[in-house]
């Protein structure tokens, strides 16, 4: 089924014949013994044969630090340094080293911000003149930014824009708390409803007791 509505009352868990572990094992078996050994039209041979042919022709591996590697998976933006802070979408981050950097006359220089869209509590910052130096900056409003996702932040911005207000962290925190509470209440209501439906089905499946004596 493509969605719960299409499934309806069909007892998927009761009718299931494969566990997730069994499916993983069978997929790994097919991948190793069929897919990798079968001829592929795009490469004119099997993946195993092309791997064996090219594996010895690769250049030496380039060693990359874990910090540099993690930066490859982060989103990027840029910002000027204002009062020792970098800014993005009404959010600010700072650290002691950034404040010292401002004393070097970099006020008009754009710095690169590396951020995780799933947690805007902290960012990595680099200066174009010192690319090997990474500054670890924390949010200036951690009570709001800690664990904050970009999607939720954009949504909260839109709500305030609709209300024709300037962005206010206190108001945003209130909206965030309300939305998380609504999600919590919804999940628990759905869980209680599902449990009640299960109890009802179990009751219907039990044989009726003979009421005559």
């Amino acid at each position: 089924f493509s969605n719960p509505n299409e499934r309806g009352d069909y007892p998927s868990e009761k009718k299931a014949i494969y566990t997730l572990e069994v499916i993983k094992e069978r997929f790994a078996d097919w991948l190793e013994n069929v897919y990798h050994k079968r001829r592929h039209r795009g490469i004119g041979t099997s993946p195993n044969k092309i791997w064996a042919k090219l594996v010895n022709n690769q250049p030496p591996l380039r060693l990359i630090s874990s910090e540099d590697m993690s930066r490859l998976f982060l989103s990027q933006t840029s910002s000027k340094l204002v009062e020792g802070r970098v800014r993005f979408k009404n959010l600010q981050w700072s650290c002691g080293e950034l404040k010292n950097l401002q004393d070097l006359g970099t006020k008009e220089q754009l710095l690169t911000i590396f951020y995780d869209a799933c947690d805007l509590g902290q960012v990595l910052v680099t200066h174009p003149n010192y690319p090997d130096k990474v500054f670890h900056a924390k949010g200036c409003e951690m009570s709001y930014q800690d664990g904050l996702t970009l999607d939720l932040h954009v949504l909260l911005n839109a709500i305030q824009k609709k209300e024709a207000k300037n962005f206010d962290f206190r108001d945003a925190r209130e909206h965030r708390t309300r939305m998380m509470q609504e999600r919590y209440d919804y999940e628990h209501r759905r869980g209680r409803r599902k449990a009640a439906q299960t109890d009802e089905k179990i009751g219907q499946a039990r044989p009726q007791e003979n009421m005559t004596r």
Side-chain angles (χ1 to χ4, degrees):
F1 304 102
S2 61
N3 58 71
N5 291 331
E6 183 180 336
R7 184 188 66 181
D9 294 331
Y10 180 80
S12 301
E13 296 180 359
K14 183 178 180 181
K15 297 287 186 178
I17 60 175
Y18 294 120
T19 64
L20 182 58
E21 291 303 320
V22 171
I23 293 176
K24 288 181 178 180
E25 291 175 2
R26 296 200 173 186
F27 174 75
D29 185 17
W30 171 82
L31 186 66
E32 181 66 25
N33 297 304
V34 179
Y35 183 86
H36 285 166
K37 295 181 179 180
R38 186 172 58 190
R39 181 183 183 276
H40 288 235
R41 182 172 57 183
I43 59 177
T45 183
S46 70
N48 278 355
K49 289 184 177 181
I50 199 70
W51 172 269
K53 179 180 178 181
L54 299 177
V55 68
N56 295 323
N57 297 329
Q58 298 298 314
L61 294 177
R62 180 183 178 185
L63 298 180
I64 303 176
S65 69
S66 59
E67 185 172 67
D68 289 340
M69 180 64 73
S70 65
R71 257 188 289 166
L72 296 176
F73 297 93
L74 298 177
S75 301
Q76 295 184 39
T77 186
S78 59
S79 169
K80 291 182 180 180
L81 191 60
V82 180
E83 298 181 351
R85 301 178 179 186
V86 290
R87 305 163 186 262
F88 174 60
K89 290 190 178 296
N90 293 322
L91 297 176
Q92 302 179 43
W93 299 266
S94 182
C95 66
E97 290 179 305
L98 283 180
K99 294 178 180 178
N100 295 334
L101 189 63
Q102 187 166 346
D103 297 334
L104 299 178
T106 60
K107 184 176 181 180
E108 299 302 320
Q109 183 69 59
L110 283 176
L111 308 185
T112 301
I113 303 174
F114 298 88
Y115 65 92
D116 182 352
C118 293
D119 185 359
L120 298 175
Q122 58 184 353
V123 297
L124 304 179
V125 183
T126 60
H127 190 289
N129 295 342
Y130 317 101
D132 295 331
K133 175 62 176 177
V134 180
F135 303 93
H136 296 257
K138 288 191 174 183
C140 296
E141 288 283 346
M142 286 300 290
S143 60
Y144 171 68
Q145 293 175 238
D146 187 25
L148 176 69
T149 67
L150 180 59
D151 286 342
L152 179 57
H153 177 62
V154 170
L155 177 60
L156 294 174
N157 269 275
I159 292 174
Q160 290 208 325
K161 185 177 181 180
K162 185 177 180 180
E163 296 174 352
K165 295 180 180 178
N166 292 325
F167 188 81
D168 178 74
F169 286 106
R170 184 185 306 170
D171 192 22
R173 281 196 296 268
E174 292 175 357
H175 279 298
R176 184 187 182 195
T177 301
R178 172 184 57 78
M179 294 173 69
M180 298 301 290
Q181 185 65 45
E182 288 175 354
R183 177 182 176 184
Y184 175 84
D185 293 341
Y186 171 78
E187 293 292 339
H188 278 253
R189 284 198 304 270
R190 187 173 65 175
R192 290 195 297 268
R193 185 167 58 251
K194 184 176 181 181
Q197 292 173 347
T198 301
D199 291 340
E200 182 180 353
K201 291 179 180 179
I202 292 175
Q204 293 174 350
R206 289 174 178 169
Q208 296 294 325
E209 295 182 0
N210 188 357
M211 301 302 294
T212 59
R213 296 182 182 272

